[in-house]
């Protein structure tokens, strides 16, 4: 952390594990007592914190990349794995006098549901993880940041998501399907739901064109001064009703 801007913390790799100059960990564990900070203290933008692994990441404890108390935007916090993620860290990428930062979570499958993860004391730090990673919606809201969920396969919203920070958006990008079975609400932040991501022609695209966005609950971006943009992108026979 610094008075005029946050710095960089890389644990297990750089952004999305794509920097050849930084070696990637196979498995990464951030314990419940760990505290990671790359904050701007007074005036400046929050920094960048990346927690990455090629196989499985377990992240507890706290991670912050706050904007300055007087001016500046929130930073970037990425907690991801090429395969599996167990995420229960307290993240803060807020900005008291600027634009909220970004929290990026990127495992193979994601379900947003209340109380879905194991107790921390029951988790073997480097054991084989489960196939689907469950993230509590309250954890997403407490970040005070735009939430970006990226999954190789599917993303499912099973319990209501309510992002209360002004301007904080909800972005879901799945290589196959996105299933919205509970309400998604932001305080003026954008909502972007993209199935079959990245949505490009094969062979560069994320899937075979059959990934669907299925919405069976309300999505709302309005606050007292207006509404954020809602973007829906799907392949196949998407149900956007």
């Amino acid at each position: 952390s610094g008075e005029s801007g946050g710095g960089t913390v890389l644990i297990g790799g750089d952004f999305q594990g794509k920097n050849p100059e930084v070696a990637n960990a196979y498995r990464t564990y951030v314990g419940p007592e760990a505290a990671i900070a790359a904050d701007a203290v007074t005036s400046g933008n929050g920094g960048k914190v990346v927690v990455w692994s090629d196989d499985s990441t377990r992240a507890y404890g706290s991670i912050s990349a706050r904007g300055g108390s007087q001016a500046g935007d929130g930073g970037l916090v990425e907690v991801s794995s090429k395969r599996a993620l167990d995420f229960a860290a307290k993240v803060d990428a807020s900005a008291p006098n600027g634009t909220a930062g970004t929290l990026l979570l990127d495992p193979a499958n994601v379900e947003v549901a209340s109380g879905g993860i194991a107790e921390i004391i029951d988790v073997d730090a480097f054991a084989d993880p489960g196939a689907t990673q469950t993230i509590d919606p309250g954890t997403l809201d407490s970040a005070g940041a735009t939430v970006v969920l990226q999954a190789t396969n599917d993303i499912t919203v099973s319990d209501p998501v309510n992002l209360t920070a002004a301007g904080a958006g909800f972005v879901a990008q799945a290589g196959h399907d996105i299933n919205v079975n509970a309400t998604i609400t932001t305080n003026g932040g954008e909502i972007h739901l993209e199935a079959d991501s990245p949505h490009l022609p094969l062979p560069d695209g994320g899937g075979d064109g059959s990934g669907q966005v299925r919405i069976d609950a309300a999505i709302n971006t309005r606050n007292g001064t207006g509404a954020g943009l809602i973007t829906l992108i799907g392949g196949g026979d998407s149900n956007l009703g």
Side-chain angles (χ1 to χ4, degrees), residues 141-186:
D141 180 42
S142 66
T146 291
V147 172
V148 181
L149 303 179
Q150 295 179 336
T152 308
N153 296 319
D154 299 335
I155 296 174
T156 301
V157 178
S158 298
D159 286 321
V161 174
N162 183 18
L163 302 183
T164 57
F170 181 87
V171 180
Q173 298 170 307
H176 197 241
D177 292 338
I178 295 176
N179 302 298
V180 179
N181 301 321
T183 302
I184 301 173
T185 304
T186 69

Side-chain angles (χ1 to χ4, degrees), residues 2 5 16 20 31 55 80 119 125 182 192 196 220 228 237:
Q16 296 185 329
D55 182 70
S80 298
E119 292 294 328
H192 180 104
D196 208 51
N220 180 19
D237 297 322

